[in-house]
Amino acid sequence: MTSAPIPLWRRLLAEFLGSAFLAAVVIGSGIAAQRLSPGQTGLELLENAAATAAGLFAIILMFGPVSGGHFNPVVSFVDAAFGGLSWRDAAAYLPAQVAGCFAGAVAANLMFALPAVTISAKHRASPAHFLSEIIATLGLLLVIFALARSGRARSAPAAVGAYIGAAYFFTSSTSFANPAITIGRMFSNTFAGIAPSSVLPFIAAQILGGIVAVGVIKALYPAITPADAAEIIVPHDSAGRAATRAGYDGASRSAERPSGPAQSP
């Protein structure tokens, strides 16, 4: 039996909060790593990557059953391209994700007794970083769509966390792979920050990575359906239909069950 559709406002709240926690984890763990291991860049990166991987896993589990756990505009729009999310909802997700990442950056700064907003001076834009962001974003999308298409969507939280943790090291850009978190990290002049001048090249590379991913996914999985797309990252409401299996905790049992004799699906 399918569950009742989850209202858009609840999904937007989940995307905002999930994005805020994500930014707080990424930036906060970077600040902590700098303070715990000063001058040891490799160890700082390892600490930052480990915290991000574990945190992302937990955050997807927290908010994924409500919104799908995207926290990433590229993921949302690629999902819409395959019919798993309406274009209108994908457009609505975007400002919630960006605002959440900004809020998370402010929270991380304040938790470590820094000014609420500090503009990063860490320049990252280079041809190598541009290529890295294309590959990082492509890989992220391949992971989540491959799991959905093969019926292993339940593994997505762990797989996404593991991929991002690994990509911190195998890409020179440390795998932002997300326009919303790229914008959020601009507002913290700390280990995980990015200078404003580097933001647009990173976002352009991430969008290009998403476009390439659509073509690769179609080539690898030509039979992918909107129902498959509705499974990424966690099963979620799709185009006004209830695709999530987590259930709508705001619906009463009487609303969930049809009146009269039981009907076959």
Side-chain angles (χ1 to χ4, degrees):
M1 182 184 298
T2 58
S3 55
I6 297 177
L8 179 61
W9 73 265
R10 290 181 64 196
R11 289 183 278 135
L12 295 180
L13 179 60
E15 285 295 299
F16 173 83
L17 292 174
S19 298
F21 271 101
L22 175 60
V25 168
V26 171
I27 295 170
S29 64
I31 298 170
Q34 271 189 316
R35 295 184 178 182
L36 293 170
S37 309
Q40 301 180 62
T41 306
L43 184 55
E44 290 171 354
L45 184 62
L46 177 61
E47 292 163 351
N48 191 205
T52 299
L56 184 55
F57 177 26
I59 293 164
I60 293 172
L61 291 179
M62 279 193 283
F63 301 107
V66 179
S67 66
H70 294 181
F71 320 134
N72 185 333
V74 174
V75 172
S76 297
F77 280 100
V78 171
D79 191 13
F82 285 100
L85 187 71
S86 73
W87 287 103
R88 180 182 70 89
D89 288 358
Y93 274 27
L94 189 153
Q97 292 158 346
V98 173
C101 285
F102 172 76
V106 170
N109 289 333
L110 293 175
M111 285 193 291
F112 286 90
L114 297 173
V117 173
T118 56
I119 302 301
S120 177
K122 183 171 289 189
H123 296 277
R124 296 177 181 265
S126 72
H129 288 139
F130 190 84
L131 176 61
S132 292
E133 282 301 292
I134 294 173
I135 293 172
T137 307
L138 169 63
L140 173 63
L141 289 162
L142 288 177
V143 166
I144 60 179
F145 274 90
L147 291 172
R149 185 66 184 90
S150 58
R152 294 174 293 165
R154 290 185 179 182
S155 301
V160 169
Y163 174 81
I164 292 297
Y168 260 70
F169 285 90
F170 81 73
T171 65
S172 63
S173 64
T174 66
S175 184
F176 285 46
N178 180 340
I181 195 66
T182 303
I183 293 171
R185 288 167 74 161
M186 179 175 66
F187 296 101
S188 184
N189 189 24
T190 58
F191 182 78
I194 179 171
S197 61
S198 299
V199 168
L200 287 181
F202 265 57
I203 292 176
Q206 292 153 3
I207 293 172
L208 182 55
I211 293 170
V212 172
V214 170
V216 173
I217 292 165
K218 285 183 176 180
L220 292 176
Y221 307 107
I224 196 165
T225 65
D228 294 325
E231 296 284 309
I232 67 107
I233 294 174
V234 175
H236 55 283
D237 185 78
S238 170
R241 300 185 305 273
T244 181
R245 296 172 182 170
Y248 175 30
D249 57 19
S252 65
R253 289 187 177 274
S254 60
E256 293 174 357
R257 295 176 179 173
S259 59
Q263 302 292 320
S264 59

